[in-house]
Amino acid sequence: MTRPRQAAPLTPIQAQLMACRDPAYRAFHCKLIPTVDPETVLGVRTPQIRALAKELAGTPAGENFLQALPHRYYEENNLHGALIAQSKSYPWVVEQLDRFLPYVDNWATCDLISPKIFRKHLPELKGEIPRWLADPHLYTARFGMGMLLSFYLDEAFRPAHLDWVAGVRREEYYGKMMAAWYFATALAKQYAAALPYLQEHRLDPWTHNKAIQKALESARVSPEHKAFLRTLRLPRSAR
């Protein structure tokens, strides 16, 4: 008779995460991340994960954890991303991202990663983003678009960045959605530069309409701009 396999014992970090579980939050959060196996979700809130990342940053336990890919739980991936984002070493962050991004399998973990050190290295970071955008892995490409959204729509904005995102042709929902978020935010912050991409239909129809929808929902887009954007929506038959 074959004995059932026993689950692997918990590591100390897994035990710490287990101690922070919130069943109600888990049930709610699982609905937001439908691509993630619910069996891998513990139900730990983001502030608790960030607090644990601060505790582990620079420690041997934290270093060992970063080497232990792939992880077992969704929250371990979130913790991994938070640990990377803690660092003040730009080269180290890029190196660690290149190791970790191929293991990211959902939008929430992807969007959680926003290293503060990037603000001090925008010229260098701009050189990394095109290769992330071109990566075949969905969430690596989404991460690249997210970095353009987070760091390059204000003083560091260049019109060419709009071309970079428009050139990312993904069929997956979470790829197109990030492109739509990017253009909706660009319409709020760089309206004159972003508007031609809608007027000239440079985006696929779904992303085009979703970008307009998100811009219409934004308090940062003026009523006058919203009125004009409504005239640019494509009919359902064109989507």
Side-chain angles (χ1 to χ4, degrees):
M1 181 176 178
T2 303
R3 293 183 179 180
R5 287 186 179 181
Q6 292 185 342
L10 296 178
T11 68
I13 289 176
Q14 288 171 342
Q16 285 180 276
L17 290 169
M18 283 279 188
C20 298
R21 285 180 298 175
D22 181 333
Y25 178 72
R26 177 184 179 275
F28 163 76
H29 196 63
C30 280
K31 297 176 183 177
L32 302 180
I33 48 173
T35 62
V36 178
D37 180 356
E39 293 299 317
T40 69
V41 180
L42 302 175
V44 183
R45 296 175 183 271
T46 299
Q48 293 171 297
I49 289 173
R50 287 183 171 143
L52 181 55
K54 287 183 179 179
E55 179 184 325
L56 291 172
T59 67
E63 293 299 320
N64 290 337
F65 175 78
L66 290 173
Q67 299 303 315
L69 287 168
H71 296 302
R72 180 175 174 184
Y73 293 108
Y74 161 75
E75 282 85 356
E76 287 184 279
N77 281 332
N78 289 353
L79 177 61
H80 196 124
L83 271 169
I84 292 173
Q86 292 277 335
S87 177
K88 297 181 180 179
S89 169
Y90 172 79
W92 184 89
V93 168
V94 173
E95 177 186 346
Q96 292 300 314
L97 283 171
D98 286 341
R99 286 189 65 249
F100 178 56
L101 285 173
Y103 295 94
V104 174
D105 62 359
N106 68 90
W107 70 267
T109 301
C110 180
D111 295 0
L112 179 71
I113 310 167
S114 187
K116 293 181 180 179
I117 193 62
F118 279 177
R119 290 200 180 277
K120 297 183 179 181
H121 294 271
L122 294 182
E124 301 99 310
L125 178 62
K126 189 166 66 174
E128 305 291 345
I129 290 176
R131 66 182 180 84
W132 288 330
L133 296 176
D135 197 282
H137 180 56
L138 166 60
Y139 294 103
T140 301
R142 181 181 170 105
F143 177 78
M145 288 187 275
M147 294 303 95
L148 285 174
L149 189 159
S150 296
F151 298 112
Y152 295 92
L153 280 175
D154 296 299
E155 294 83 0
F157 171 75
R158 298 293 181 271
H161 301 160
L162 297 162
D163 281 338
W164 292 7
V165 177
V168 178
R169 296 292 179 165
R170 307 287 316 199
E171 292 302 318
E172 306 97 333
Y173 172 84
Y174 290 105
K176 293 196 291 185
M177 180 57 85
M178 179 54 85
W181 271 115
Y182 172 83
F183 272 95
T185 308
L187 287 166
K189 294 187 171 186
Q190 303 292 343
Y191 180 79
L195 185 61
Y197 287 78
L198 301 176
Q199 292 175 304
E200 300 169 13
H201 299 169
R202 299 189 205 174
L203 307 176
D204 69 85
W206 189 95
T207 303
H208 175 108
N209 279 350
K210 186 62 70 172
I212 291 175
Q213 176 191 328
K214 295 302 179 184
L216 295 178
E217 294 170 357
S218 172
R220 295 181 293 179
V221 178
S222 72
E224 295 78 13
H225 289 168
K226 287 181 180 180
F228 185 63
L229 288 172
R230 288 188 180 94
T231 71
L232 299 178
R233 286 186 289 199
L234 297 176
R236 186 176 297 273
S237 59
R239 300 178 194 181

